[in-house]
Amino acid sequence: MMAENRVLDDELVALLRQAQRVVALTGAGISAESGVPTFRDAQQGLWAEYDPMELATPEGFARNPLRVWEWYAMRRAQVAKVQPNAGHYALAQWAARRPGLTVVTQNVDGLHQRAGSDRVIELHGNITRVRCAAGHGPVAEWQEKAGEVPRCCQCDAYLRPDVVWFGELLPAAALASAEQAVAAADLVLSIGTSSLVQPAASLPYLALGAGVPVVEINPEQTPLSADARFSLRGKAGELLPALVACIGD
Ligand code: OAD
């Protein structure tokens, strides 16, 4: 069902008010209003010159570790400069009113946490962290040296961003926690995601299969739109504050 953005449907308002165990699945779209390019933007706009297969795959890293390291260093610096937007803050406010709310994000920018959300499951890692490429775990501090990829102090392998690249498995614990949160949810929101990339895209379908309503927020139609109970066309930074305003305390 398409809902009017300005006047929220009564059934939608009732759904939002009643829900205690909300799962908010977020994608690149929720950070778009903070100035972090979505993957679609990346292919068309400013970042069109970059090939994701060279920058966000283990093979690309093996071919040219320095190029990949420098690209992530640039993105890390960009993310450090941007701020959470009204959409991120609205989810943190929602959680303050409904402590059962869990954010499950495909984003690696850490903006949910910076907005004050504390129950955040990161499916695709976090760009602010790095880890040993040979498996020696996360590294808290590293030295940036121009023209060099920093190395693991235990085994001398390269360090890499702690994100999930194309062709890699998601962190098993994060995926299991996300599935558990969805299994226990009474409302699932799908916000700012193209609903194309698996396995994250299947999470709303777990909810639908269990009869749990799904509300989508996206300016564009996605493969999920027709199956969602409500598919709201608009920006997360505008719609989420409106939804939070109507749930009350
Ligand atoms: P995409 O870039 O594929 O999709 C972004 C979605 O956000 C699109 O559907 C847009 O219409 C929508 N959008 C844009 N602006 C918005 C706004 N202001 N408010 C709400 N929605 C908006 O990003 P994801 O679906 O997050 O994976 O991509 C999923 C995964 O694909 C990423 O995590 C990444 C990528 O490959 C990995 O890196 C493993």
Side-chain angles (χ1 to χ4, degrees), residues 26-33 37-41 56 72 106-108 124 163-166 168 170 191-197 200 217-222 234-237:
T26 67
I30 196 168
S31 293
E33 290 158 83
T38 65
F39 294 89
R40 188 180 297 192
D41 291 339
Y72 277 92
Q106 298 166 84
N107 299 342
V108 297
H124 292 166
V163 299
V164 176
W165 281 333
F166 294 107
E168 293 186 317
L170 272 63
I191 305 160
T193 171
S194 53
S195 294
L196 289 171
V197 178
I217 295 179
N218 199 310
E220 311 273 340
Q221 193 170 333
T222 77
K235 294 181 174 181

Side-chain angles (χ1 to χ4, degrees), residues 12-112:
L12 173 60
V13 172
L15 200 62
L16 300 171
R17 285 198 177 140
Q18 281 158 19
Q20 298 293 332
R21 297 176 311 281
V22 181
V23 171
L25 173 66
T26 67
I30 196 168
S31 293
E33 290 158 83
S34 293
V36 182
T38 65
F39 294 89
R40 188 180 297 192
D41 291 339
Q43 278 154 32
Q44 289 169 354
L46 197 57
W47 294 4
E49 64 196 272
Y50 299 104
D51 176 358
M53 289 303 131
E54 291 305 322
L55 296 167
T57 61
E59 296 78 17
F61 185 62
R63 275 193 286 274
N64 193 336
L66 184 60
R67 177 172 56 190
V68 173
W69 179 268
E70 286 179 341
W71 189 68
Y72 277 92
M74 184 217 20
R75 285 188 59 197
R76 203 176 290 124
Q78 282 179 339
V79 160
K81 274 191 235 145
V82 303
Q83 300 302 326
N85 65 58
H88 299 105
Y89 287 117
L91 284 180
Q93 284 159 8
W94 197 330
R97 293 176 192 181
R98 300 285 190 274
L101 185 146
T102 304
V103 174
V104 177
T105 190
Q106 298 166 84
N107 299 342
V108 297
D109 54 33
L111 288 176
H112 286 297

Side-chain angles (χ1 to χ4, degrees), residues 221-245:
Q221 193 170 333
T222 77
L224 179 67
S225 302
D227 298 315
R229 177 82 63 90
F230 291 95
S231 186
L232 309 181
R233 288 283 164 277
K235 294 181 174 181
E238 293 168 7
L239 286 176
L240 277 170
L243 299 194
V244 176

